[in-house]
């Protein structure tokens, strides 16, 4: 049973983040500075007369202040580089999980191009922040300890979004992009069964060819195609899955947390030796993360 699949014109930019030659001397200070400068303008000016608005971290002085910058979360973590190599069956996770050391409190800093200052929050009120998030802090700077006692956090509003294109009036001409994440190949039976049903649906083995399955013109496997700790058997199962899809539709494979790829940023495409069959298909593209 074959399915007539609609086509769509698309530019392939799957190698936008590829690194041909590793050079760790490059720094991203200028990019971070431009990002902070652009997002700082989104904040509404403060209206309290008793609060001094500080433009840079280095200008903080004793008393109340409001300043903006990028949050940096710091926590003591531990990782064993020996454990995955001894007593294993060769199927250990590509990225061993990090564990927080007990008794080591986390620290949050506010940082800009002039310096950084540690933030102190009321007991039990410490927020969960991601390193690099831009925010404005209101609080009291204590010069004796060099810390900023936080009373309020403010995040920049979302940038203006372009209007969405009007929906297509012709249902027969609709085309779909499918995004898949967390296939977990090589994991439990339920993940394999779900991947098999999805394969049958996209390849036209089940359902009506006139349904949405035949209108899917592109598939993105958005990370974690391999189950945690199952790099060997999961890679073979993922390769078979991509080979079946590649015969019917174009596929982009983006590496995720558990996929066998490098851990530094940007994450490079999965090596072709790990996808010996599907990697030879012109319809299956191995992409970087971040993905463009």
């Amino acid at each position: 049973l074959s399915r007539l699949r609609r086509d769509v014109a698309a530019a392939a930019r799957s190698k936008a983040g590829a690194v041909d030659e590793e050079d760790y001397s490059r720094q991203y200070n200028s990019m971070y500075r431009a990002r902070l400068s652009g997002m700082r303008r989104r904040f509404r000016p403060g209206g309290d007369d008793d609060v001094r608005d500080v433009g840079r971290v280095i200008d903080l002085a004793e008393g109340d202040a409001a300043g903006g910058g990028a949050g940096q979360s710091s926590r003591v973590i531990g990782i064993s580089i020996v454990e995955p190599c001894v007593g294993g069956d060769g199927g250990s996770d590509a990225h061993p999980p990090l564990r927080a050391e007990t008794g080591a409190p986390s620290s949050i800093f506010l940082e800009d191009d002039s310096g950084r200052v540690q933030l102190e929050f009321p007991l039990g009120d410490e927020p969960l922040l991601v390193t690099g998030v831009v925010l404005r802090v209101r609080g009291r700077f204590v010069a004796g300890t060099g810390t900023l006692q936080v009373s309020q956090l403010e995040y920049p509003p979302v940038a203006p979004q372009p209007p969405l294109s009007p929906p297509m009036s012709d249902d027969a001409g609709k085309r779909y992009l499918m995004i898949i994440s967390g296939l977990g190949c090589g994991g439990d039976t339920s993940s394999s069964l779900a991947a098999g049903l999805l394969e049958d649906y996209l390849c036209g083995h089940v359902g009506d060819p006139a349904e949405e399955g035949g209108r899917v013109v592109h598939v993105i496997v958005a990370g974690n195609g391999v189950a945690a700790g199952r790099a060997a058997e999961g890679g073979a199962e993922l390769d078979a899955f991509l080979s079946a899809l590649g015969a019917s539709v174009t596929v982009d494979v983006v590496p995720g947390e558990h996929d066998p790829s490098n851990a530094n940023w940007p994450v490079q495409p999965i090596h072709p030796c790990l996808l010996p069959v599907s990697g030879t298909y012109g319809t299956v593209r191995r992409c970087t993360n971040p993905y463009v």
Side-chain angles (χ1 to χ4, degrees):
L1 177 64
S2 61
R3 168 167 288 175
L4 180 61
R5 189 172 301 278
R6 292 175 174 83
D7 194 10
V8 63
R13 296 189 295 176
S14 57
K15 302 296 184 182
V19 177
D20 296 329
E21 185 174 332
E22 295 182 354
D23 181 9
Y24 295 100
S25 65
R26 293 179 297 179
Q27 300 297 318
Y28 297 91
N29 178 59
S30 57
M31 181 184 70
Y32 293 149
R33 184 184 303 173
R35 174 174 171 266
L36 177 58
S37 175
M39 298 189 71
R40 191 194 298 267
R41 292 191 290 267
R42 298 184 191 173
F43 289 104
R44 295 181 295 273
D48 296 342
D49 296 334
D50 58 341
V51 176
R52 187 171 67 94
D53 196 359
V54 179
R56 300 189 304 165
V57 168
I58 199 173
D59 296 328
L60 284 171
E62 185 79 26
D64 292 331
Q72 302 286 335
S73 179
S74 174
R75 190 170 190 181
V76 179
I77 58 177
I79 181 173
S80 172
I81 61 174
V82 179
E83 183 178 355
C85 303
V86 295
D89 56 357
S92 60
D93 194 0
H95 303 158
L98 303 179
R99 63 179 185 274
E101 297 292 346
T102 58
S106 59
S107 301
I108 300 178
F109 297 86
L110 184 71
E111 183 180 67
D112 62 10
D113 55 348
S114 68
R116 60 160 50 182
V117 61
Q118 184 172 352
L119 304 181
E120 284 189 359
F121 296 88
L123 185 63
D125 196 29
E126 183 177 295
L128 182 63
L129 295 175
V130 178
T131 296
V133 64
V134 176
L135 47 83
R136 182 164 65 176
V137 177
R138 177 171 297 183
R140 181 180 183 84
F141 179 68
V142 182
T145 59
T147 58
L148 180 59
Q149 297 175 347
V150 179
S151 60
Q152 182 182 354
L153 292 180
E154 182 182 349
Y155 302 94
V158 179
Q161 302 295 313
L164 297 176
S165 57
M168 299 181 61
S169 58
D170 181 16
D171 290 341
K174 286 184 178 179
R175 297 172 176 84
Y176 296 101
L177 168 69
M178 177 176 286
I179 301 177
I180 309 169
S181 182
L183 278 172
C185 293
D188 54 23
T189 306
S190 60
S191 62
S192 301
L193 178 60
L197 291 175
L198 178 61
E199 175 188 324
D200 290 340
Y201 176 71
L202 289 174
C203 295
H205 302 314
V206 296
D208 186 350
E211 293 179 351
E212 285 79 1
R215 300 177 184 177
V216 175
V217 296
H218 190 68
V219 176
I220 299 175
V221 181
N224 290 345
V226 176
R230 302 290 182 178
E233 58 269 44
E237 187 175 322
L238 177 64
D239 187 31
F241 175 78
L242 296 175
S243 300
L245 290 192
S248 177
V249 63
T250 56
V251 185
D252 283 353
V253 186
V254 182
E257 177 185 6
H258 302 308
D259 294 320
S261 186
N262 61 304
N264 55 307
W265 198 259
V267 183
Q268 296 304 289
I270 297 176
H271 198 277
C273 71
L274 300 174
L275 302 174
V277 180
S278 62
T280 62
Y281 285 41
T283 53
V284 178
R285 295 193 290 260
R286 297 173 297 103
C287 305
T288 60
N289 185 358
Y291 169 82
V292 180

